[in-house]
Amino acid sequence: MTEKTYPMTQTEKEQLEKELEELKLVRRPEVVERIKIARSYGDLSENSEYDAAKDEQAFVEGEISSLETKLRYAEIIDSDAVAKDEVAIGKTVLVQEVGTNDQDTYHIVGAAGADIFSGKISNESPIAQALIGKKVGDKVFIESPAATYEVEIVKVEKTH
């Protein structure tokens, strides 16, 4: 069975490595300490502090495992390898809905770095899928749950 790869920029990979280090060197020891303290309270069957600490430990270990997998199967994308005006991972794209003045800016990132609240959309999202490979001046149809709309790519630049 072939493992899934996780396309990302070098910057995204470095961010994931920092998160992993924080989880292993700070969060994990904190949780272990909380478990030790909770154990000292005696009867574990009715010890809510112990239960909460064990739940947090499971969460932290899950996050560590997830990050290790993403880093193990990371595929570094070099946005400099594509044309300057072509949409790709590691690029920021400004689009304008055709027939309106509505503009949106998206930072195309690998799935591991997606954060819609800061405008970072996954290369696997419908918007990114429609835009990747297109160039400035191209018109693209984007399908959303609400409707299908057409946008024109106004500007593409490397994300800083």
Side-chain angles (χ1 to χ4, degrees):
M1 182 173 113
T2 313
E3 286 291 333
K4 175 182 178 180
T5 60
Y6 295 87
M8 63 184 73
T9 62
Q10 184 62 38
T11 304
E12 289 175 73
K13 183 177 186 236
E14 290 166 5
Q15 180 60 39
L16 291 180
E17 288 169 340
K18 283 182 192 171
E19 287 178 39
L20 181 60
E21 187 175 343
E22 168 79 13
L23 286 169
K24 285 182 166 182
L25 300 179
V26 179
R27 294 274 312 274
R28 182 188 267 166
E30 287 174 353
V31 172
V32 168
E33 187 60 31
R34 283 184 50 213
I35 290 171
K36 279 187 203 171
I37 292 168
R39 271 195 182 133
S40 72
Y41 297 152
D43 184 12
L44 298 182
S45 65
E46 295 181 19
N47 188 329
S48 62
E49 288 89 354
Y50 178 77
D51 291 340
K54 289 300 280 185
D55 288 346
E56 186 176 351
Q57 182 182 40
F59 174 78
V60 168
E61 293 303 325
E63 286 293 299
I64 288 171
S65 176
S66 174
L67 288 175
E68 286 175 338
T69 298
K70 288 174 183 172
L71 288 167
R72 184 178 309 117
Y73 297 105
E75 178 186 344
I76 303 303
I77 304 297
D78 181 9
S79 61
D80 291 333
V82 296
K84 286 187 186 291
D85 66 343
E86 183 179 337
V87 180
I89 291 177
K91 300 279 186 103
T92 299
V93 59
L94 174 67
V95 298
Q96 181 169 335
E97 190 171 347
V98 173
T100 73
N101 291 327
D102 294 343
Q103 292 188 333
D104 288 306
T105 301
Y106 300 109
H107 307 288
I108 312 293
V109 298
D115 179 5
I116 193 66
F117 297 111
S118 58
K120 295 178 181 178
I121 62 170
S122 164
N123 64 306
E124 298 174 357
S125 71
I127 295 172
Q129 288 288 304
L131 296 172
I132 289 176
K134 306 298 188 288
K135 297 185 177 210
V136 172
D138 287 353
K139 292 185 179 174
V140 179
F141 284 98
I142 296 178
E143 293 186 33
S144 75
T148 299
Y149 56 98
E150 187 178 23
V151 298
E152 181 176 347
I153 299 173
V154 177
K155 182 176 166 186
V156 176
E157 61 187 15
K158 184 174 179 178
T159 303
H160 305 289

